Amino acid sequence: MLLASLFPVLQRLREAGIATLVLKGAALVVRYYHDIGAREMADADMAVPIAHLQEAVTILRGLGWEPVKPPRGGFDGALVGVTHAWTFRDAAARELDLHWFITRETGLAGLDDMLWGRAVPLSIAGAPTLALDDTDMLLHLLIHGMRWNPVAPLRWVADATTVVGSGSCVDWERLAVGVRLRPSEAERAMLPRLLDPVLRLRAEVEDPMAP
């Protein structure tokens, strides 16, 4: 089971004094769905502070996780400047994306510290870790929803609906600011259109009797 395979990783990193932040499916399943079978996961995503990247890679490899297509030159400054994560795979063919930036854009813009600072406690298979807070989680889902994918990423709709409908504490003003701060004009134009059905759901959750 993918979530269970995260336990020794999270525990070993914690013992080494390295903070972890679980992203996407694993965090959604535990924090919002509350049912492992309710959401499919092809892999797991986990972030560590960039200052601890090299140590985290060493720990992962010691636990049997090897980088897929090992990067030339290793995990150095040249690599972290062009991407935000790398995929590792264990002997059971399970995959874990190790992030040193939560997204490439937040890392290059220097926003990761702010996201880490707002993160909330989470337990994965009994191992303590962190997850994005409700607002940052929803924005992260919207960003992934607008990205091109050979298979339309419609899963974000169910995820966003679950986050909003779970009694979460979304800061809608901060979410709107996050949309306005996106780096490209195309993204700033697209995100409100993705957000519109989520806002309609918010209205239904807050006032189910409204017309």
Side-chain angles (χ1 to χ4, degrees), residues 10-207:
L10 295 171
Q11 279 290 92
R12 183 66 189 87
L13 289 168
R14 183 169 181 264
E15 291 167 1
I18 300 174
T20 56
L21 195 157
V22 174
L23 299 163
K24 301 182 186 177
L28 285 162
V29 164
V30 175
R31 186 164 164 76
Y32 301 101
Y33 284 91
H34 309 297
D35 182 348
I36 294 174
R39 187 190 187 277
E40 181 184 9
M41 286 191 302
D43 59 8
D45 291 77
M46 177 191 72
V48 298
I50 192 169
H52 295 289
L53 174 59
Q54 299 286 359
E55 188 179 358
V57 168
T58 299
I59 289 171
L60 274 178
R61 299 188 79 165
L63 291 171
W65 295 83
E66 291 295 331
V68 176
K69 298 180 180 177
R72 294 180 180 178
F75 293 85
D76 59 8
L79 178 69
V80 302
V82 297
T83 189
H84 65 287
W86 204 267
T87 301
F88 287 71
R89 185 179 295 143
D90 71 0
R94 293 173 293 209
E95 292 189 349
L96 169 64
D97 289 346
L98 177 65
H99 293 239
W100 46 92
F101 295 146
I102 293 172
T103 70
R104 184 171 184 271
E105 296 89 348
T106 58
L108 296 179
L111 299 176
D112 268 21
D113 286 347
M114 185 169 58
L115 298 178
W116 277 92
R118 293 196 293 249
V120 296
L122 188 70
S123 176
I124 299 288
T129 182
L130 297 170
L132 294 174
D133 79 351
D134 295 332
T135 307
D136 292 330
M137 176 69 79
L138 184 55
L139 182 58
H140 199 206
L141 291 171
L142 292 170
I143 290 168
H144 278 273
M146 74 179 177
R147 288 180 175 165
W148 182 88
N149 193 299
V151 178
L154 296 178
R155 186 168 57 192
W156 77 268
V157 180
D159 289 341
T161 299
T162 300
V163 170
V164 174
S166 67
S168 60
C169 299
V170 175
D171 182 334
W172 296 98
E173 291 185 7
R174 172 151 62 88
L175 185 72
V177 169
V179 169
R180 292 195 295 270
L181 289 177
R182 295 304 300 164
S184 77
E185 184 176 346
E187 289 187 2
R188 291 192 296 273
M190 186 182 297
L191 275 170
R193 293 199 294 272
L194 294 181
L195 185 57
D196 182 62
V198 178
L199 290 174
R200 288 201 299 270
L201 172 65
R202 172 206 178 193
E204 293 174 9
V205 169
E206 293 183 347
D207 186 2

